[in-house]
Each structure stands twice: as structure tokens, then as C-alpha cells.
Amino acid sequence: MSFLPAADRAYLAEKGIAYEEKQDGAVKGIILKGRRLPDGRFDSAVADILIQLPPGYPDVAPDMFYLLPWVKLRNGGRYPSAANVAQSFAGQNWQRWSRHNSEWRPGIDGIWTMIKRVEDALEKAA
């Protein structure tokens, strides 16, 4: 059974984004499978990206996002700022990227907004 809103599923299908819906206890999440990371930025070119969906989503904003495998900056060989803590979900320890969202627009934003935020955070990682 899907818990992702129909508009989100339609967007992901339209964009050809492979994903999996998972639940770990009371926590629901969507895993974007095998996403390309910005060229030359990290020690891995591809990662799965977890977005946990809070109760009340899509009227309530997702907050952080998580990567597997864990990545380090290619330049300097260190974890990006605020991306060095583990988050357990579905039996795996994900790399938590602490990026907060105060601009979510209930009734307007959806998974497309969060994907854009993730892409921006990955591009700007330092």
C-alpha cells in the first residue's frame, strides 16, 4: 500500500525517478534509488536518498535527508558540514544531512520541492 500522495507518485513517474516507499515503525520514508550526485563533488557518483515524511505530510514539511552510501567531499576527503551523524532507518545507518526547511508551503509543495532542496544542498555542500 502506498502512503505517498498521488501527486507525488505522478511527479516521480513523469520524471522517471525510481523510488521505494518504506516504513520503519511509525516512520514513513521514500527512498530515491540510485540518484546521480553532482559530478566530481563526492567520493561516490551515485547514492540512494532517503526522505522521511512527517505525520501530516504534505501539509507538514520534510526536514532533513539521508544518503547511502555515506559520502565525503572529494576535495579534502571529509564529510560535508552537518552531514556526519548516523540515522537508523529500515535496518541501515544512513548519513544524515541536517538541512532544515522553514519555507514549506502547505497545499503547494510536494516531493518535487524536497528533491530540489536536496539537489541544491548537494551542489552547495562544503
Side-chain angles (χ1 to χ4, degrees):
M1 175 169 168
S2 178
F3 50 76
L4 202 57
D8 286 359
R9 290 193 313 272
Y11 173 83
L12 294 167
E14 174 187 316
K15 297 294 182 185
I17 298 173
Y19 70 96
E20 180 181 358
E21 295 176 67
K22 276 205 168 185
Q23 188 161 347
D24 185 5
V27 181
K28 296 175 180 176
I30 176 173
I31 300 170
L32 307 176
K33 307 295 284 182
R35 299 290 292 170
R36 291 215 41 89
L37 300 177
D39 286 339
R41 301 268 306 148
F42 303 103
D43 59 359
S44 180
V46 177
D48 287 349
I49 300 170
L50 166 64
I51 300 169
Q52 292 182 340
L53 303 177
Y57 176 84
D59 291 327
V60 177
D63 192 25
M64 298 180 265
F65 65 93
Y66 311 85
L67 263 58
L68 265 183
W70 286 50
V71 298
K72 289 185 177 179
L73 295 168
R74 185 169 270 182
N75 183 7
R78 63 174 179 75
Y79 293 119
S81 298
N84 63 344
V85 173
Q87 175 75 26
S88 179
F89 182 81
Q92 295 181 292
N93 284 321
W94 294 77
Q95 179 183 20
R96 182 181 80 188
W97 286 61
S98 183
R99 306 294 189 272
H100 305 289
N101 182 4
S102 60
E103 299 176 9
W104 192 261
R105 302 164 299 173
I108 297 171
D109 290 326
I111 202 65
W112 49 88
T113 309
M114 190 62 187
I115 290 172
K116 180 65 174 144
R117 287 186 59 239
V118 168
E119 290 170 348
D120 287 348
L122 292 170
E123 280 290 341
K124 296 173 183 171

